[in-house]
Amino acid sequence: MTTYVWDYLPEYENEREDILGAVEKVFSSGRLVLAESVKGFEEEFAAYHGVGTCVGVDNGTNAIKLALQALGVGPGDEVVTVSNTAAPTVVAIDGAGATPVFVDVNEDDFLIDTDQVEAAVTSRTKCLLPVHLYGQCVDLAPLRALADRHGLALLEDCAQAHGARQHGRLAGTTGDAAAYSFYPTKVLGAYGDGGAVLTSRPEVGTALRKLRYYGMEKTYYTVQTPAHNSRLDEVQAEILRRKLTRLDAYTAARREVARRYAEGLGDTGLVLPKVNEGNEHVYYVYVVRHPRRDEIIERLKAHDISLNISYPWPVHTMSGFAHLGYRQGSLPVTEKLAGEIFSLPMYPSLPAGLQDKVIAAIREVLT
């Protein structure tokens, strides 16, 4: 039996009754679109974060895109972000009509190098978009100060950081808005696509509700600003409501998996994840480094262990973004990491026996 980086079936086995109960509740409610489950989840997710407004949308990519639009970002504007991220971060910037501007990342924590951001700001810059990558918060204090100094919006990409904290403060509560994905693999994952935007600015929340519903303020009334259908599904919202009550338990379980990896692999030569001072990492993925990465992954296949890489191709090297003009060597740390990083199995219900199998196989491969 092959061991994969992620598997939802053990969790489903444990939570099956509650998940199917969510489906039954929605199907028997008499309302299937933007009804009580979406409203309830929005209120509860906002309350969890202590933020005034949550707007549910159909996926994490549109969460970023619509948040940018609601913050006034559009054609001709620039958004400063990173290339070491999932491509949807940058696809969303492009979808809003803006131009992504990349800065490099830190080699030790893989997060945006905040010291490089100000030099990337131009007269066209409208927004800073830090990515809380792999489950750990970016140091937002210098970016918040920079945004305030230059009159820029600060949008947090929290797709990989549900429940992560920095000095006790939850990810998603420092920026002007924060975008979330609830793709099934996420720390708080649905059973399909889903997303949301948090904001403490009422006018941004109002704009988001229009943007997710064709640009209409109310159902099938007059379009004010043409937009698309980007609604969060009622079934997914009801599932997320129930799973939200278990979010802290999920993150605690992920930290325990991370602790066992650190204990079992700390002396192997793998570079294990660094947790920055004041951060509470939620380990969306457990990313390690080794210069023999490709050989290790290939040899682990003989042990029926299939691993993946988050991410093997930096966005600035992808053909779809060649028009931005970045060349090999433009972001040296990002490019170096792309050749060395890979992810070990990580999910709350990962059986200890399977994790022991992974640890033993890696130790064998590295001897």
Side-chain angles (χ1 to χ4, degrees), residues 104-108 110 113 116 329-338:
D104 217 340
V105 297
N106 301 314
E107 188 166 350
D108 59 352
F110 317 136
D113 185 344
Q116 295 188 28
S330 299
L331 302 170
V333 177
T334 295
E335 292 165 24
K336 178 182 179 181
L337 292 174

Side-chain angles (χ1 to χ4, degrees), residues 38-39 41-47 51-56 180 182 195-199 205 208-209 212 232:
V38 168
K39 181 174 182 289
F41 174 71
E42 290 174 338
E43 292 172 351
E44 291 154 15
F45 197 63
V51 172
T53 301
C54 171
V55 178
Y180 292 81
F182 304 121
V197 181
L198 287 179
T199 183
L208 284 164
R209 294 191 189 283
R212 76 168 176 189
L232 177 62

Side-chain angles (χ1 to χ4, degrees), residues 151-186:
L152 307 175
L154 178 62
L155 171 61
E156 299 177 57
D157 182 343
C158 295
Q160 302 185 10
H162 312 78
R165 294 177 183 266
Q166 185 170 80
H167 301 298
R169 184 167 187 161
L170 278 164
T173 62
T174 299
D176 297 286
Y180 292 81
S181 167
F182 304 121
Y183 188 75
T185 61
K186 303 301 184 184

